[in-house]
Amino acid sequence: MDADSPLSCELSELQGATIVRPAGVLDIRTYPELRDVLLKCAADQPRAVIVDLGRLEITSDYLASVFITVWLRITQWSTMRLVVVPGPAHAALSWRGPMRRFVAVEPTVLAALDNLGAPPPRRRAELWLPSSPLSVRAATRFVTDTCHNWGVEPLTAPAATVAGELVENAAEHARSPARLRLEWRLDRLTVAVADDDTRAVSLPRPGPQTPEPGSGLQLVAHLAHATGWSRTHSGGKVVWAVLRLPRAPTA
């Protein structure tokens, strides 16, 4: 975060949740700063991200949409909860309507923790991989076995391909160990690969376009329902792709 910025964020951990306490001013300049901090916290996959606004001045009502923006980004690939705790100075802001549809609003941090409840049913598996070309084979075998154990065989081939491409990309460009994570909830399988490199990733938009030969990330976008990446506060970045079970044909 810019040292000259009128916004700073204090981070702490409590009961498996990340507590973010922004201080200063939320305006047009600092909007993307707060958004990126929250996305980085979400990328580390805590139980929840709870934002305590007690020391934050929000200059315009519409800037509170930053929390909806963050929620829309993370809900594509994560079951993590995002909770906002308004301060006394925010009583005039509307915390109902669209905000309540996407983001939980609680009176205190402790109330937020008490009301997190059980997360949506999910399955999760992780594999740590060295920076080696052999990691691609290990990743595809891990994905194949996991999809079989979870009973989602129709996603085995695309998920193994996506995992292999992301792990290979981490080995070639990040040159760091990688952490492969699979998460299944509802009808979505998230394939995520984290590494120690903070450089940006240029991800093509998901769609039916035919990938060019040798373009691994285009192949990932071709197979995925959604893709994205984020830097993490623990260091490095995470790149993810979401796959969905094919729908049964209608009669």
Side-chain angles (χ1 to χ4, degrees), residues 120-185:
R122 69 175 180 178
R123 292 180 173 178
R124 183 170 177 171
E126 289 189 345
L127 178 67
W128 287 85
L129 297 161
S131 178
S132 165
L134 298 178
S135 292
V136 174
R137 180 177 296 181
T140 55
R141 171 54 59 187
F142 173 73
V143 171
T144 299
D145 291 344
T146 302
C147 287
H148 175 74
N149 292 336
W150 289 352
V152 290
E153 285 85 354
L155 293 178
T156 300
T161 299
V162 167
E165 294 294 345
L166 295 182
V167 169
E168 182 178 17
N169 194 63
E172 289 185 358
H173 301 290
R175 298 186 178 181
S176 77
R179 186 175 81 251
L180 170 61
R181 184 180 76 247
L182 300 178
E183 184 173 307
W184 170 255
R185 66 180 179 111

Side-chain angles (χ1 to χ4, degrees), residues 58-106:
I58 302 178
T59 58
S60 297
D61 287 10
Y62 75 91
L63 294 169
S65 66
V66 65
F67 305 112
I68 297 177
T69 298
V70 171
W71 183 90
L72 290 172
R73 289 276 295 275
I74 64 177
T75 195
Q76 297 179 72
W77 64 283
S78 175
T79 58
M80 191 212 72
R81 296 281 304 279
L82 178 64
V83 186
V84 173
V85 179
H90 312 125
L93 294 178
S94 175
W95 299 105
R96 300 186 180 277
M99 180 69 72
R100 288 281 191 176
R101 289 177 54 197
F102 301 105
V103 181
V105 179
E106 298 287 354

Side-chain angles (χ1 to χ4, degrees), residues 12-27:
S12 60
E13 189 274 337
L14 187 62
Q15 298 181 23
T18 298
I19 314 300
V20 183
R21 291 185 170 90
V25 178
L26 177 62
D27 55 18

